[in-house]
Amino acid sequence: SAVISQKPSRDICQRGTSLTIQCQVDSQVTMMFWYRQQPGQSLTLIATANQGSEATYESGFVIDKFPISRPNLTFSTLTVSNMSPEDSSIYLCSVGSGNEKLFFGSGTQLSVL
Amino acid sequence: TQLLEQSPQFLSIQEGENLTVYCNSSSVFSSLQWYRQEPGEGPVLLVTVVTGGEVKKLKRLTFQFGDARKDSSLHITAAQTGDTGLYLCARDTGGFKTIFGAGTRLFVKA
């Protein structure tokens, strides 16, 4: 198993600003992902955070809006840029383990006014 | 399609009742995961089912994988208030890219 610390746990932000979410894992992991969970919805994969190279984004998500850093095997950040109310969601960091298991952080509850 | 359809979307029951939630797809998958997400937390893996017809039990939770590996069910016996949460089925589409169903929100009343 992996212990994932994500911060901030919640934030209220103004339209047009940016927020950086941090994800720290207690062990080195190869696969690290960022998900979005819109209010009352399921989880949607934003991107795979690749160590030492650019993140791999899913359809509908772009680097300019959601820049991701992965400086080492235990840490990643996701920035939500130029926020609008439509970005209000829970953002979740997750890591992959053997047998297709995913472990998740507690999430960041973002509200954009 | 690789979409996972879950039903019901919402379920509110009394403590002690039994319930079943379903996960269906039009395509065959090699394995399927069930997660539970409590408010303010990330999803937590409950079980992975792999073999068609497989049944796994986790205390009061019984998970079944359909013979054709296109569907799965989760049955909870004698529900407790602690079972309240969002139940998600999910499948790995390759390289740990996991897609999730829309989930079943369960509320168990005392």
Side-chain angles (χ1 to χ4, degrees):
Chain A
S1 66
V3 177
I4 303 169
S5 300
Q6 194 174 329
K7 59 180 182 181
S9 58
R10 59 177 62 242
D11 207 342
I12 301 173
C13 300
Q14 294 296 321
R15 182 196 300 258
T17 62
S18 298
L19 175 72
T20 295
I21 302 167
Q22 298 181 4
C23 179
Q24 179 74 54
V25 189
D26 68 341
S27 58
Q28 293 187 339
V29 293
T30 304
M31 309 301 292
M32 209 161 182
F33 308 91
W34 287 97
Y35 282 83
R36 181 175 72 183
Q37 187 174 26
Q38 294 176 300
Q41 303 294 317
S42 187
L43 282 73
T44 302
L45 180 62
I46 297 172
T48 302
N50 301 308
Q51 194 267 327
S53 64
E54 194 171 281
T56 305
Y57 290 84
E58 298 301 305
S59 176
F61 298 96
V62 295
I63 187 171
D64 289 346
K65 176 67 176 177
F66 297 102
I68 289 170
S69 78
R70 179 90 192 270
N72 55 55
L73 292 176
T74 64
F75 185 78
S76 178
T77 67
L78 168 74
T79 299
V80 186
S81 302
N82 188 25
M83 288 183 285
S84 67
E86 293 70 34
D87 294 321
S88 296
S89 288
I90 299 172
Y91 292 87
L92 294 150
C93 168
S94 75
V95 302
S97 181
N99 299 321
E100 304 170 341
K101 289 182 183 177
L102 284 180
F103 295 95
F104 287 85
S106 297
T108 297
Q109 174 78 61
L110 171 61
S111 298
V112 184
L113 305 178
Chain B
T1 178
Q2 297 183 12
L3 292 178
L4 296 171
E5 297 181 354
Q6 289 191 244
S7 62
Q9 290 184 313
F10 182 80
L11 194 55
S12 179
I13 61 171
Q14 289 292 140
E15 198 169 30
E17 293 184 0
N18 302 331
L19 67 118
T20 303
V21 300
Y22 301 92
C23 177
N24 296 285
S25 173
S26 59
S27 56
V28 176
F29 28 86
S30 58
S31 67
L32 183 132
Q33 294 85 42
W34 283 95
Y35 288 81
R36 179 171 64 209
Q37 183 180 22
E38 298 183 20
E41 298 295 327
V44 175
L45 179 67
L46 296 173
V47 77
T48 300
V49 286
V50 178
T51 306
E54 181 177 9
V55 176
K56 282 190 174 180
K57 292 194 175 185
L58 187 64
K59 297 183 180 178
R60 294 176 293 101
L61 279 59
T62 301
F63 304 85
Q64 186 160 5
F65 202 12
D67 291 339
R69 292 185 288 129
K70 290 185 178 182
D71 58 274
S72 182
S73 64
L74 159 59
H75 181 81
I76 301 179
T77 303
Q80 300 176 357
T81 56
D83 295 326
T84 293
L86 176 65
Y87 289 82
L88 297 156
C89 65
R91 60 170 293 190
D92 187 292
T93 61
F96 281 99
K97 283 189 178 182
T98 299
I99 62 170
F100 288 82
T104 294
R105 292 192 178 275
L106 172 65
F107 182 66
V108 182
K109 296 176 284 188

